[in-house]
Amino acid sequence: MNPDIRTIFFDVGNTLRIVQKDQAFIDAAEAGLMELIQTNETHDALFAKLEQRWNDYRRLSKSTLLDVSEGELWSQFLLPDYEPNSIYANAPRLTRLWRDHDGRRVARPDAVDTIQELCRRGYTLGIIANTVTETEIPDWIADAGLAACFKTVILSSKVRLRKPDPEIYHLACRCIGTPEGACAYVGDNPVRDVEGTQAAGFGMMIRIDEPDTLNMEKATGKEFTPDHVITRLSELLDLFPAR
């Protein structure tokens, strides 16, 4: 029997939104980043250095299950060899440009309609996401007309905690006012999203089948089984009838 789910939390990257490769968009982002920091380095040298430092930071954050703010990320980890006050001040813009250098982030075709319908059906909605951005996701929510749908937005760059640490899930439940057993989580990662949700005692975990995530996720020796696997967000409407 399914638990009585009252609240549904969502991941964002590769769950609500996917990345589309757009070379012109990527080129513009990279040029903008170089202009913003007024670098004398070549494009290839700068981005090779940034990729290496980014990968080093990712390994650290995954091992400690802690994230830093945008200002700390850029001034201490990614560009510590540049003038720190300028880098810190420009960190939010640098984060946007760095993320854009992966490609254009767009909502899944059924994301907005599904979220709005779940809200109409009486579910409380929230977000729990590992992300380096502090403003881009809230801005996207507002631009998509979804600000009224999400009661709380928990971002690792703001709260420092990272999935799969169950504490980030417990924090989200306290903020939204729903006990863990009455919450569901929708995410794409077959390891950390499932592991963290289950360790936190959530009533349900739904994994959206995203090939890009599965291709990137290396074998960890861990196996976690979600309660449901979906291929489209609109399938959530079959799992969550009107309350």
Side-chain angles (χ1 to χ4, degrees), residues 11-209:
D11 178 42
V12 178
N14 279 347
T15 299
L16 295 180
R17 298 192 300 177
I18 57 175
V19 178
Q20 291 182 344
K21 293 300 180 183
D22 179 333
Q23 195 58 50
F25 184 81
I26 292 170
D27 291 345
E30 293 179 351
L33 191 151
M34 295 182 72
E35 181 180 1
L36 186 60
I37 64 173
Q38 299 180 339
T39 185
N40 292 320
E41 298 182 72
T42 67
H43 170 278
D44 290 351
L46 175 65
F47 281 93
K49 179 175 72 175
L50 285 174
E51 290 288 353
Q52 180 60 56
R53 291 175 175 177
W54 169 248
N55 289 332
D56 290 344
Y57 172 74
R58 292 278 288 170
R59 283 191 290 271
L60 176 64
S61 65
K62 287 180 178 181
S63 67
T64 61
L65 296 186
L66 296 172
D67 263 330
V68 299
S69 68
E70 289 176 302
E72 291 166 315
L73 175 67
W74 285 96
S75 63
Q76 297 179 27
F77 292 92
L78 297 186
L79 291 175
D81 43 347
Y82 281 69
E83 201 287 311
N85 290 322
S86 175
I87 293 300
Y88 199 98
N90 286 305
R93 181 61 182 152
L94 287 169
T95 303
R96 300 274 184 119
L97 293 167
W98 178 247
R99 284 168 61 78
D100 288 349
H101 120 103
D102 290 334
R104 189 185 299 274
R105 285 170 169 79
V106 298
R108 288 183 182 271
D110 54 352
V112 172
D113 289 345
T114 299
I115 291 166
Q116 291 175 336
E117 178 59 25
L118 289 170
C119 193
R120 282 192 291 268
R121 291 185 180 189
Y123 294 92
T124 303
L125 306 181
I127 283 174
I128 306 172
N130 286 350
T131 180
V132 295
T133 177
E134 298 178 39
T135 60
E136 187 217 342
I137 289 174
D139 286 350
W140 169 70
I141 290 170
D143 291 343
L146 298 174
C149 294
F150 290 109
K151 186 174 179 180
T152 194
V153 176
I154 302 296
L155 306 176
S156 63
S157 56
K158 294 285 284 184
V159 303
R160 305 300 176 117
L161 303 166
R162 277 182 63 88
K163 298 179 297 181
D165 187 340
E167 287 306 314
I168 194 171
Y169 297 89
H170 296 322
L171 173 62
C173 290
R174 291 195 298 272
C175 289
I176 216 161
T178 305
E180 286 80 353
C183 293
Y185 189 74
V186 183
D188 68 296
N189 192 287
V191 178
R192 66 171 175 262
D193 283 342
V194 186
E195 177 186 11
T197 303
Q198 293 177 347
F202 272 37
M204 188 184 298
M205 195 284 155
I206 303 103
R207 181 175 68 81
I208 188 164
D209 195 17

